[in-house]
PDB file of all heavy atoms in Angstrom:
ATOM      1  N   VAL A 139      -8.585  13.275   3.417  1.00 96.00           N
ATOM      2  CA  VAL A 139      -9.073  12.095   2.722  1.00 96.00           C
ATOM      3  C   VAL A 139      -9.505  11.111   3.803  1.00 96.00           C
ATOM      4  O   VAL A 139      -8.749  10.844   4.753  1.00 96.00           O
ATOM      5  CB  VAL A 139      -8.002  11.462   1.791  1.00 96.00           C
ATOM      6  CG1 VAL A 139      -8.454  10.107   1.300  1.00 96.00           C
ATOM      7  CG2 VAL A 139      -7.710  12.393   0.641  1.00 96.00           C
ATOM      8  N   GLU A 140     -10.718  10.618   3.688  1.00 96.00           N
ATOM      9  CA  GLU A 140     -11.249   9.648   4.659  1.00 96.00           C
ATOM     10  C   GLU A 140     -10.696   8.261   4.388  1.00 96.00           C
ATOM     11  O   GLU A 140     -10.447   7.868   3.246  1.00 96.00           O
ATOM     12  CB  GLU A 140     -12.767   9.623   4.599  1.00 96.00           C
ATOM     13  CG  GLU A 140     -13.381  10.911   5.050  1.00 96.00           C
ATOM     14  CD  GLU A 140     -14.923  10.874   5.061  1.00 96.00           C
ATOM     15  OE1 GLU A 140     -15.496   9.766   5.009  1.00 96.00           O
ATOM     16  OE2 GLU A 140     -15.501  11.950   5.025  1.00 96.00           O
ATOM     17  N   ARG A 141     -10.596   7.496   5.453  1.00 96.00           N
ATOM     18  CA  ARG A 141     -10.071   6.120   5.368  1.00 96.00           C
ATOM     19  C   ARG A 141     -10.890   5.306   4.364  1.00 96.00           C
ATOM     20  O   ARG A 141     -10.316   4.580   3.541  1.00 96.00           O
ATOM     21  CB  ARG A 141     -10.141   5.502   6.774  1.00 96.00           C
ATOM     22  CG  ARG A 141      -9.479   4.151   6.907  1.00 96.00           C
ATOM     23  CD  ARG A 141      -9.661   3.697   8.380  1.00 96.00           C
ATOM     24  NE  ARG A 141      -8.697   2.719   8.776  1.00 96.00           N
ATOM     25  CZ  ARG A 141      -8.897   1.392   8.709  1.00 96.00           C
ATOM     26  NH1 ARG A 141     -10.034   0.921   8.204  1.00 96.00           N
ATOM     27  NH2 ARG A 141      -7.961   0.561   9.146  1.00 96.00           N
ATOM     28  N   SER A 142     -12.209   5.401   4.421  1.00 95.00           N
ATOM     29  CA  SER A 142     -13.053   4.601   3.518  1.00 95.00           C
ATOM     30  C   SER A 142     -12.829   4.971   2.065  1.00 95.00           C
ATOM     31  O   SER A 142     -12.837   4.108   1.180  1.00 95.00           O
ATOM     32  CB  SER A 142     -14.526   4.757   3.893  1.00 95.00           C
ATOM     33  OG  SER A 142     -14.942   6.101   3.761  1.00 95.00           O
ATOM     34  N   VAL A 143     -12.617   6.251   1.774  1.00 94.00           N
ATOM     35  CA  VAL A 143     -12.387   6.703   0.404  1.00 94.00           C
ATOM     36  C   VAL A 143     -11.029   6.187  -0.083  1.00 94.00           C
ATOM     37  O   VAL A 143     -10.876   5.713  -1.216  1.00 94.00           O
ATOM     38  CB  VAL A 143     -12.453   8.242   0.308  1.00 94.00           C
ATOM     39  CG1 VAL A 143     -11.982   8.744  -1.022  1.00 94.00           C
ATOM     40  CG2 VAL A 143     -13.886   8.720   0.605  1.00 94.00           C
ATOM     41  N   TYR A 144     -10.020   6.269   0.787  1.00 93.00           N
ATOM     42  CA  TYR A 144      -8.688   5.757   0.478  1.00 93.00           C
ATOM     43  C   TYR A 144      -8.722   4.279   0.142  1.00 93.00           C
ATOM     44  O   TYR A 144      -8.196   3.840  -0.878  1.00 93.00           O
ATOM     45  CB  TYR A 144      -7.783   6.042   1.691  1.00 93.00           C
ATOM     46  CG  TYR A 144      -6.386   5.505   1.584  1.00 93.00           C
ATOM     47  CD1 TYR A 144      -5.426   6.135   0.781  1.00 93.00           C
ATOM     48  CD2 TYR A 144      -5.978   4.391   2.329  1.00 93.00           C
ATOM     49  CE1 TYR A 144      -4.129   5.658   0.715  1.00 93.00           C
ATOM     50  CE2 TYR A 144      -4.680   3.925   2.268  1.00 93.00           C
ATOM     51  CZ  TYR A 144      -3.764   4.560   1.465  1.00 93.00           C
ATOM     52  OH  TYR A 144      -2.479   4.102   1.391  1.00 93.00           O
ATOM     53  N   LEU A 145      -9.345   3.495   1.008  1.00 93.00           N
ATOM     54  CA  LEU A 145      -9.402   2.053   0.788  1.00 93.00           C
ATOM     55  C   LEU A 145     -10.238   1.706  -0.428  1.00 93.00           C
ATOM     56  O   LEU A 145      -9.906   0.755  -1.161  1.00 93.00           O
ATOM     57  CB  LEU A 145      -9.918   1.343   2.043  1.00 93.00           C
ATOM     58  CG  LEU A 145      -8.965   1.422   3.236  1.00 93.00           C
ATOM     59  CD1 LEU A 145      -9.621   0.820   4.475  1.00 93.00           C
ATOM     60  CD2 LEU A 145      -7.642   0.725   2.937  1.00 93.00           C
ATOM     61  N   ALA A 146     -11.299   2.434  -0.677  1.00 91.00           N
ATOM     62  CA  ALA A 146     -12.108   2.172  -1.875  1.00 91.00           C
ATOM     63  C   ALA A 146     -11.307   2.435  -3.163  1.00 91.00           C
ATOM     64  O   ALA A 146     -11.423   1.664  -4.122  1.00 91.00           O
ATOM     65  CB  ALA A 146     -13.387   3.041  -1.861  1.00 91.00           C
ATOM     66  N   ALA A 147     -10.501   3.473  -3.135  1.00 89.00           N
ATOM     67  CA  ALA A 147      -9.682   3.780  -4.326  1.00 89.00           C
ATOM     68  C   ALA A 147      -8.663   2.665  -4.575  1.00 89.00           C
ATOM     69  O   ALA A 147      -8.430   2.273  -5.715  1.00 89.00           O
ATOM     70  CB  ALA A 147      -9.002   5.119  -4.176  1.00 89.00           C
TER      71      ALA A 147
END
Side-chain angles (χ1 to χ4, degrees):
V139 170
E140 293 182 19
R141 189 180 201 267
S142 62
V143 171
Y144 176 75
L145 292 174

